[in-house]
Amino acid sequence: MPRFALLLTLLFAPVLSAQQPPPPAIDSIALWNDFTALSADSMEGRRTGTRGGASARAYLVRRLTAAGVEPLVPGYVQHFDAGGRDTSSRDGVNVLGVVRGADTSRVIVISAHFDHLGVRNGQVYNGADDNASGTAAVLALAAAYAAQPPKHSMIFAFFDGEEAGMHGSRAFVERPPIPRRRIVANVNLDMVARLDKNELCAAGATPYPFFRPLLRATAAAAPVKLRMGHDLSTPDGLDNWTSLSDHASFHAVGIPFVYFGVEDHPDYHRVTDDAERVDAGRYLAAVRTIGDFLRRLDGDLEKVVPGRRQP
Ligand SMILES: [Zn+2]
C-alpha cells in the first residue's frame, strides 16, 4: 500500500467505523441452498411434533454450528408445549442462537417460524414462502453477523408451533432465556420470498413510530419497493397484520416489533407454495433490504428505541 493511502486509511477508518456498521454480508448461495433444502419434500412440511419438524430443527442446529453462531440455550433448543392433541404434537421446539455484540445490555431478536403444515392427504405442504424463506433469511443474517459481529447482541430465533397459534414465540417471551427487559426490539420475517410485484411490506411503524425514519431510509436505498403499513386497527385499505405472526407475541408484552412480509398470494397455505415459484433475485433483494434495516437499527439502537416500561 502506498504510504499516503495507508495514512488515509488510518485517518478515516475510525471515523467510518464510528458511523454506521456495514450491512451484513449475505451469502446468496447459502441462502438459496438453505431455502431449497428447508422447502424440499424430505422435510415433510416441517409440522410441529413430526419427523419433518425434527429434520428441519436438526438442519438449523447444523447450520448454526457451522456458522459459529453460539447456542443461546444448551443444544440451541427450547422445548415448550405446542398445545397439540397428542403427546408428539405437543412437543414444540424453538431453535435459538446468539451473536454477542460489543454492547450486550440491549438485545435485538431476529425471528422466523420454521414450522409449516406438514403432510395432508398424502401431499407435502412445503411452505417455501411460508416460511422456509424467512428461516433461510434468518440463517443468512446469523452467519453474516457471526463473521462480523454487531454493535448490540442479536438473538436469532427460529420458532416452532407458529401455524397452530404462535405457541413457540409465546413460550419464548413468557420464559425468555435472558432477562426480558434486555430485549428491546423484535424483527420478524414471515413470507419474504414471493415479491410478485417486487414489493416487500414492513409493519410496526404505526404502533412504534420510532421505526419510521429507519424504514424510510431503508426504503430509499432498497432494491425492492418497501411499503409501510398493515398495522392499523382502523381500516386504511390494508389488512391489519399486527396479530398474524410471531411478532404478535412480542407486541403483547410491549416489545416493539417490525414485521417483514409480502401480501398473500394464491399459493398461500396451498400445496403449491414451492421453491420453483420464487424468483431468486427478488428474494435475495428482500433479504438484503432487511439486512440493511437491521444494520441501521443496530447502529442507532439507543437513539431509536426508547427505554421501555417493564411489565
Ligand atoms: Zn407463516
Side-chain angles (χ1 to χ4, degrees), residues 113 130-131 162-163 190-191:
H113 74 86
D130 186 11
N131 187 26
E162 191 271 351
E163 298 286 7
D190 192 354
M191 299 171 61

Side-chain angles (χ1 to χ4, degrees), residues 19-35:
Q19 292 177 341
Q20 292 289 339
I26 301 297
D27 180 338
S28 58
I29 310 255
L31 175 72
W32 188 255
N33 286 344
D34 289 337
F35 168 63

Side-chain angles (χ1 to χ4, degrees), residues 28-240:
S28 58
I29 310 255
L31 175 72
W32 188 255
N33 286 344
D34 289 337
F35 168 63
T36 51
L38 287 162
S39 57
D41 282 348
S42 59
M43 294 288 173
E44 298 176 359
R46 309 184 304 279
R47 187 171 170 180
T48 302
T50 65
R51 193 174 56 179
S55 302
R57 183 206 320 156
Y59 185 90
L60 293 174
V61 168
R62 255 195 333 271
R63 296 289 295 131
L64 290 171
T65 307
V69 178
E70 277 179 61
L72 179 66
V73 287
Y76 297 95
V77 294
Q78 178 189 42
H79 289 264
F80 63 92
D81 185 341
R85 278 183 294 264
D86 50 59
T87 324
S88 75
S89 63
R90 297 186 80 92
D91 184 22
V93 188
N94 293 331
V95 178
L96 307 171
V98 63
V99 174
R100 277 165 225 288
D103 179 350
T104 58
S105 65
R106 290 166 166 246
V107 179
I108 305 168
V109 176
I110 299 101
S111 61
H113 74 86
F114 71 91
D115 67 305
H116 193 54
L117 304 174
V119 181
R120 292 175 176 182
N121 301 321
Q123 290 188 297
V124 183
Y125 284 68
N126 287 320
D129 191 32
D130 186 11
N131 187 26
S133 68
T135 306
V138 174
L139 271 179
L141 291 164
Y145 276 111
Q148 187 183 73
K151 272 173 80 175
H152 302 86
S153 294
M154 293 183 179
I155 290 174
F156 296 91
F158 303 86
F159 292 129
D160 198 2
E162 191 271 351
E163 298 286 7
M166 294 169 270
H167 298 288
S169 53
R170 198 172 314 122
F172 176 85
V173 299
E174 280 171 6
R175 292 184 288 117
I178 63 164
R180 198 159 78 194
R181 68 190 141 69
R182 284 170 53 201
I183 302 174
V184 298
N186 169 231
V187 178
N188 185 41
L189 284 59
D190 192 354
M191 299 171 61
V192 295
R194 285 288 294 271
L195 278 74
D196 297 356
K197 290 180 282 179
N198 201 32
E199 191 174 276
L200 182 68
C201 299
T206 301
Y208 304 107
F210 39 81
F211 289 131
R212 200 174 292 278
L214 286 190
L215 286 167
R216 282 220 183 93
T218 306
V224 301
K225 263 180 271 163
L226 183 65
R227 189 173 171 205
M228 280 181 259
H230 287 289
D231 51 16
L232 277 175
S233 48
T234 50
D236 65 341
L238 298 172
D239 313 321
N240 183 6

Side-chain angles (χ1 to χ4, degrees), residues 214-287:
L214 286 190
L215 286 167
R216 282 220 183 93
T218 306
V224 301
K225 263 180 271 163
L226 183 65
R227 189 173 171 205
M228 280 181 259
H230 287 289
D231 51 16
L232 277 175
S233 48
T234 50
D236 65 341
L238 298 172
D239 313 321
N240 183 6
W241 292 346
T242 305
S243 61
L244 284 195
S245 180
D246 290 309
H247 51 272
S249 301
F250 291 84
H251 185 45
V253 295
I255 298 171
F257 75 88
V258 173
Y259 160 66
F260 289 99
V262 297
E263 298 278 356
D264 279 358
H265 47 76
D267 300 309
Y268 170 73
H269 278 208
R270 296 237 168 92
V271 75
T272 47
D273 182 5
D274 283 321
E276 295 83 69
R277 305 216 168 183
V278 165
D279 179 307
R282 286 184 172 184
Y283 174 33
L284 176 62
V287 178

